[in-house]
Amino acid sequence: MKRLLSGNEAVARGTFEAGVKLASAYPGTPSTEILETIAEEYPSIYAEWSPNEKVAFEVGIGASLGGARTLVTMKHVGLNVAADPLMTFAYTGVGQGGFIVISADDPEMHSSQNEQDNRLFAKFAQIPFLEPSDSQEAKDFMLKGYEISEKFDTPVMLRLTTRISHSKGIVEESDPMEPRAVGFKRDMEKFVMIPSNAKKRHVVLTERLKKLAEYSETTELNTVEENGSEIGIITGGISYQYAKDNLPDADYFKIGFGFPLPLKKISKFIESHKRVIIVEELEPYYEEIIRAAGMKVEGKKYFSRLGELSPYKVGLGLKEAGLIDEIKGAEIEAGPLFPRPPVLCPGCPHRGAFMALKKVGVAVTGDIGCYTLAMLPPLQTLDSCICMGASIGTAIGMEKVGGYDKGVVAVIGDSTFLHSGITGLLDAVYNKSNITVMILDNRVTAMTGGQQHPATGYTLMGEKTRAVDFTELCKALGVESVRVVDAYDLKAMIDVIKEEMARPGPSVILTNRPCVLMPKRIMDRPYVVDPELCNGCTACFRIGCPAIMPSKEMTKRNKPKAVIDPVLCTGCSLCAQVCKPEAIVLAEEPVSVK
């Protein structure tokens, strides 16, 4: 049967067809839909959201050791979190069940803090990686990946990018394999990495790489397309599609098995062509290895190392290289599109927290989540954002050197705190740091679309489970003062921040309003603006709520009065709390001039 599937859906299908028994992950764009699809469409596979990528990877290792084929998925920066077990798992090799880790890279940083090229990570870890160029290959390479994993006793990376994960293509489905049930086989020298064993396994790893290099020379994953051209293109992944759009009649060396590269096969390809161009997204990964082997190729001097490629950008590079005269199609310019600056949602409980922090005037170290939007106008109340869980450690460092005389507050979301913020808070307690940590608990992993986490009370597969009690958790870590505050009560929020910052030692403020969009949209009674009372002071504009906008009615000083969109307003009341003329009132209340 054929179906139209996204790359992520195709990976989920491949997982099912390959007889995988366990899939684990931490949600992260662009990889999130893989686990969601597995949980929804293939319930025979045990699927879980783990607290972070390192735990997800370790759960996967256990499943592989237990004899089951295993999938672990994450976005590219998630692999940084899972790097510790990855590096050593490359030494031990897999158990009786094959192991694939998905690295979903995000060129152009559509929703990421960097755009690292994880092909380099596979080379660093010395594990093979496969790189599909469409949805069909995304599914097929899953099946092939498990064969390679089990044949060569190695974890395998399947590297996706945003365009592969989210674009759709026709996929031919096959019958699923029966999940293997071979069980755990004890082997302490292989799986217990004390130095004496690790030294032996490093030798095994080196020998394995030689065999993988030989395999790379013969596998059908690396293919040559001959069209009788003097021009050769070496490419892989989505870049293959872009190059084919512009130069359909060139000869192609299409790389699907990217580490180790098939250098002998590539050498023959280069020798048989007058000129060879490498087209690849982000880093010059192929180019550097091929050049280091003494082969003459061209590449990155025509194509940017920054952001996503596109058919148009590849066309520009090929034109500069003198291989085409005209570029097919045109780049889509962002300029003519209606401007929609990123902003916190109407009624977002994070807005109240950042309004209070701005009022107090402290330094605010931030983290990864919706609340990162607080760095944008008009709130502009976020002074750093590095990676998942970094806000607390960054605040500790700033406080220890007296970096800001008004003090420092770390903000972190509920899911991110469980991901990697707990150890930062433990550090604050252990090292007697005078910081305040705000856990913005909206009871869901909102940034990636509303996934469950250990404090929501539900698993990925919809089962009820024990929910983390943040107050008890923070107290157990040694925090003496843990305060719970309504994020919509601005005065209370300001007062509590001031009180906790004046208190010696670390403290925690928990906000307790849920996300207004997930798991269901929250709509309370909307507010309206009394035009007779509105004096155009713009205080309500400065909270950055999309529901509030200037009206056409002007004050005597020629300032626009405010108006509230009743469709967007959730009734959070924050705008009413900052309105000194008290012109913002509940819609049902009578409006009168005082």
Side-chain angles (χ1 to χ4, degrees), residues 206-316:
T206 304
E207 293 300 318
R208 180 199 300 155
L209 285 176
K210 292 178 183 176
K211 295 175 183 175
L212 286 166
E214 293 171 2
Y215 174 80
S216 183
E217 299 287 351
T218 58
T219 177
E220 69 276 13
L221 295 168
N222 295 324
T223 58
V224 175
E225 296 178 12
E226 295 180 339
N227 296 303
S229 173
E230 293 181 337
I231 303 301
I233 305 292
I234 297 175
T235 185
I238 193 64
S239 301
Y240 166 77
Q241 306 288 0
Y242 300 156
K244 286 284 283 185
D245 274 359
N246 284 280
L247 271 179
D249 297 327
D251 285 0
Y252 281 85
F253 194 109
K254 179 173 176 293
I255 296 172
F257 185 94
F259 181 76
L261 284 176
L263 292 175
K264 294 177 183 176
K265 199 171 179 180
I266 289 173
S267 177
K268 289 181 180 178
F269 181 79
I270 292 173
E271 289 172 0
S272 62
H273 291 83
K274 187 176 180 180
R275 193 178 178 193
V276 174
I277 306 289
I278 295 177
V279 182
E280 57 186 326
E281 206 166 53
L282 294 181
E283 299 301 318
Y285 168 78
Y286 301 145
E287 185 176 346
E288 287 184 351
I289 295 175
I290 293 169
R291 281 180 178 273
M295 291 175 249
K296 184 180 178 182
V297 291
E298 302 170 87
K300 275 297 166 186
K301 64 180 180 180
Y302 302 123
F303 309 101
S304 175
R305 297 172 68 158
L306 308 177
E308 282 189 304
L309 292 180
S310 67
Y312 182 77
K313 290 177 180 176
V314 170
L316 282 178

Side-chain angles (χ1 to χ4, degrees), residues 60 108 121 154 297:
E108 202 70 36
F121 223 135
T154 178
V297 291

Side-chain angles (χ1 to χ4, degrees), residues 30-93:
S31 66
T32 308
E33 298 85 0
I34 298 172
L35 263 283
E36 290 179 330
T37 304
I38 289 173
E40 182 177 341
E41 296 191 19
Y42 311 109
S44 61
I45 301 171
Y46 170 78
E48 71 163 49
W49 292 131
S50 302
N52 64 35
E53 294 87 351
K54 179 175 181 289
V55 175
F57 199 99
E58 292 158 349
V59 169
I61 289 175
S64 175
L65 266 56
R69 284 188 167 181
T70 301
L71 174 70
V72 179
T73 80
M74 57 197 67
K75 66 182 297 179
H76 61 300
V77 288
L79 200 58
N80 302 340
V81 181
D84 205 359
L86 166 65
M87 291 297 178
T88 301
F89 196 41
Y91 274 45
T92 67

